[in-house]
Amino acid sequence: MASRSHRSPSSGRRRTALVSAAVAVVVALVAALFVAFGPDHETDAADSVAATAVAATRGTPTSTAQESKPTSASPSASARTGSPKATASTASPRPSTAPASRPARKVSASASLTGRIKPGVSYDGVATFYDVGNGDGACLYGPTSDVMTAAMNHTDYETSKACGAYIRVRAGSGASVTVRITNECPLPCAPGQLDLSPQAFAKLAAPVQGRIPITWSLLSPSTSDTVSIRYKTGSSRYWCGVQAIGHRNPLARLEVETASGWKELPRTDYNYFLSEQGSGCGGAIRITDIYGEQLEIDGIGVKPDVVQPTRVQFAQH
């Protein structure tokens, strides 16, 4: 009895220990399974997949974005090379490196862009002629050897909006001549009147007639010239006057790029656009013709009285 009493407690303790160990193993296994397949783990996995998808989307550009290129209404407007010449310049313009320019943009034309002289309209008036001297005039393009020029009457000159316009003039006889506006004919020149160079008048009638009835209309000519930019004498980064020369079509506006965006400059009757506080002086320039085409030009430095070529031109109409 004594021996049986000794063995019975020892056997019970061993069984208890084995059961406890088995329970511990089961608990540990259940805990591990819960951690492995719990909702938090599923969320982390889903987040990892979503992040990978976003990264893949951002890293793969579409073919449309790769192939999209700016278009130009004029082949010459997007050119970067060449040796342009300005229609008019100073008597001895200093050479200047031509800047790179942005491609042209076309926007819708409107009545506010055209001013008094509109495309496709025939105007009645009279033609006279005057001594043009060295070819300079109110438009301040400077001396020129071009003899086919004219002064526009004060009303249609419209604060220099007519400057640089090409005009086809017809006489009652059927003779015609194309002239470029470089000057203003002050009052009492009447609306519709053109004061021509002697050479241009002689294409229409004998100079002894002095004054003849005419009709005239705006022209968008074929030309190999390109636009040039000139800063007025005295210009700096604190005040500047900017002028465009050699444009095929009349200018509607000139803007400069500032820290807050494009700023339109007011136009003077002597054909310069002024930035009196210096905003945009020396920065990018944007010019718009009366048809709504825009040319954006970079790299024009503030070099007073220097004709700087841009290698761009408005489209022919």
Side-chain angles (χ1 to χ4, degrees):
M1 292 294 292
S3 62
R4 284 195 299 273
S5 175
H6 176 74
R7 288 194 299 270
S8 179
S10 174
S11 176
R13 286 193 297 270
R14 283 196 298 272
R15 284 194 299 271
T16 301
L18 289 173
V19 171
S20 299
V23 171
V25 170
V26 171
V27 171
L29 180 59
V30 171
L33 291 174
F34 181 80
V35 171
F37 297 99
D40 290 342
H41 181 79
E42 292 176 358
T43 302
D44 292 343
D47 289 346
S48 177
V49 172
T52 302
V54 171
T57 301
R58 292 177 180 172
T60 308
T62 63
S63 59
T64 302
Q66 291 173 331
E67 296 174 358
S68 177
K69 297 179 181 178
T71 58
S72 170
S74 171
S76 62
S78 60
R80 296 291 195 273
T81 58
S83 179
K85 62 177 182 177
T87 301
S89 64
T90 55
S92 300
R94 287 168 282 175
S96 176
T97 302
S101 27
R102 307 178 202 176
R105 293 197 311 126
K106 188 67 179 289
V107 298
S108 299
S110 65
S112 62
L113 294 180
T114 56
R116 286 184 57 86
I117 303 175
K118 296 175 172 37
V121 177
S122 180
Y123 297 88
D124 296 323
V126 296
T128 52
F129 66 92
Y130 75 108
D131 181 6
V132 298
N134 63 7
D136 199 2
C139 296
L140 293 190
Y141 288 135
T144 178
S145 58
D146 181 11
V147 296
M148 294 301 156
T149 60
M152 180 63 72
N153 68 83
H154 172 77
T155 303
D156 295 322
Y157 182 78
E158 199 178 4
T159 316
S160 79
K161 285 184 180 179
C163 285
Y166 288 87
I167 302 295
R168 177 171 288 155
V169 189
R170 295 185 183 277
S173 63
S176 67
V177 64
T178 296
V179 295
R180 186 170 60 94
I181 302 302
T182 60
N183 206 351
E184 176 186 11
C185 184
L187 296 173
C189 276
Q193 183 172 348
L194 294 175
D195 210 13
L196 305 177
S197 67
Q199 295 89 342
F201 188 94
K203 296 281 186 180
L204 302 176
V208 294
Q209 294 190 43
R211 181 184 182 97
I212 60 172
I214 57 167
T215 59
W216 56 270
S217 57
L218 184 66
L219 184 67
S220 179
S222 173
T223 178
S224 60
D225 290 343
T226 55
V227 179
S228 294
I229 298 294
R230 177 165 55 199
Y231 277 95
K232 195 176 188 309
T233 301
S235 291
S236 70
R237 291 191 176 274
Y238 307 101
W239 178 95
C240 65
V242 190
Q243 179 188 61
I245 305 170
H247 40 89
R248 187 198 310 265
N249 306 316
L251 287 187
R253 57 176 174 254
L254 184 149
E255 301 163 277
V256 291
E257 192 170 29
T258 68
S260 57
W262 290 104
K263 177 182 179 181
E264 182 176 355
L265 299 185
R267 188 172 197 162
T268 67
D269 59 1
Y270 51 88
N271 196 34
Y272 272 89
F273 297 81
L274 295 187
S275 178
E276 299 200 58
Q277 304 303 319
S279 298
C281 294
I285 296 170
R286 182 165 69 186
I287 55 177
T288 305
D289 70 3
I290 63 170
Y291 297 96
E293 185 179 2
Q294 295 181 332
L295 303 178
E296 296 179 5
I297 305 160
D298 289 316
I300 297 292
V302 182
K303 300 177 181 178
D305 204 28
V306 176
V307 176
Q308 301 185 63
T310 68
R311 299 172 178 168
V312 297
Q313 182 58 275
F314 291 115
Q316 184 178 10
H317 292 264

